[in-house]
Amino acid sequence: MLFTSISFLYYFLPIVLITYFVLPKKLRNTVLCVASLIFYFYGEPKYIILMLAEILIAYIVALLINKHKSKSILVLGIVIHVGLLLSLIHISEPTR
């Protein structure tokens, strides 16, 4: 699904926007997170596990930073994310 496709503009986007504005403010970020996962899953389902892992790692790192107030945890989180992205680039390149 592309941002300019009919299915996105006439079905997906209105459903997400209506759901977003109908629900209480506490649930709005959850709606956007789930909607973005659905959008990306529709486009390329093989990367959904990577996206879920990235979200979980970012959440855990954020909790640890908030608890310990340590910049080393931030650096570790950045290194983990960059490492995952570089491994994705390496895995997704066609072999020669």
Side-chain angles (χ1 to χ4, degrees):
M1 174 178 358
L2 298 173
F3 289 114
T4 57
S5 69
I6 298 297
S7 59
F8 176 80
L9 292 173
Y10 289 124
Y11 303 115
F12 186 77
L13 183 62
I15 290 170
V16 170
L17 287 176
I18 290 169
T19 306
Y20 178 82
F21 286 113
V22 167
L23 290 176
K25 287 186 178 185
K26 278 186 163 183
L27 297 175
R28 288 182 176 178
N29 284 340
T30 306
V31 167
L32 293 179
C33 183
V34 170
S36 66
L37 285 172
I38 291 169
F39 177 80
Y40 285 110
F41 181 76
Y42 186 81
E44 192 63 57
K46 67 182 179 180
Y47 296 124
I48 197 73
I49 300 297
L50 176 70
M51 290 187 67
L52 290 172
E54 290 277 354
I55 290 169
L56 181 64
I57 291 167
Y59 182 73
I60 291 170
V61 168
L63 290 177
L64 290 172
I65 289 171
N66 191 33
K67 182 178 180 182
H68 299 290
K69 308 289 189 229
S70 171
K71 287 188 179 183
S72 61
I73 297 173
L74 173 64
V75 171
L76 177 65
I78 292 170
V79 167
I80 291 171
H81 283 297
V82 170
L84 282 172
L85 291 174
L86 289 175
S87 67
L88 173 69
I89 291 170
H90 178 68
I91 291 170
S92 63
E93 282 184 6
T95 57
R96 294 179 188 191

